[in-house]
Amino acid sequence: MAMDGAPPRRFKKKLLPTLAGALLVAWIAAIVVGIAREPDPHSGAPSKENLAASLQSAVKERDPKKIEQYFSDAAGDGYAESLLSQLEDRSAPVSVALHGDQLRISADTAGCMAFGLLHQDGTWLVDPVPALSGCR
């Protein structure tokens, strides 16, 4: 034992691994909490009507991040940008309207795309696969 009042070396050897382990656990906990607080990019809307109105607003603003949140996660990365580019190619005012169990996105006489609606976990989302029959 040291006579100068310093703690034994054995204590210092145990302190470093314990401190490193505690820091590692804190770092992992911070990552988990950060991920848990991350908003769901596919949050949908509380009703079909709200979904149509919100998507209309997002399309009008040409905001892919807002558009993305109304499509199910099956849409994948870049889907909203691709949809916007298709709509811009039609060079006509775009409207989003609810027709029964379909959401129709149309650009006046330039064309129309119909999408099915999904109800998941109490929210409404747009199925990213357009209906084969179009807007008929």
Side-chain angles (χ1 to χ4, degrees), residues 52 55-56 59 62 67 71 79-99 101-117 126-136:
L55 188 57
Q56 170 72 42
V59 167
R62 303 282 194 237
I67 292 170
F71 281 84
Y79 185 85
E81 290 90 354
S82 174
L83 180 64
L84 276 176
S85 70
Q86 288 177 11
L87 294 172
E88 288 171 356
D89 288 347
R90 296 178 184 198
S91 66
V94 176
S95 68
V96 177
L98 187 61
H99 290 273
D101 288 335
Q102 283 188 336
L103 190 75
R104 295 180 180 180
I105 301 176
S106 59
D108 287 341
T109 58
C112 179
M113 294 181 281
F115 297 90
L117 300 176
V126 180
D127 183 354
V129 180
L132 291 176
S133 61
C135 293
R136 295 180 201 176

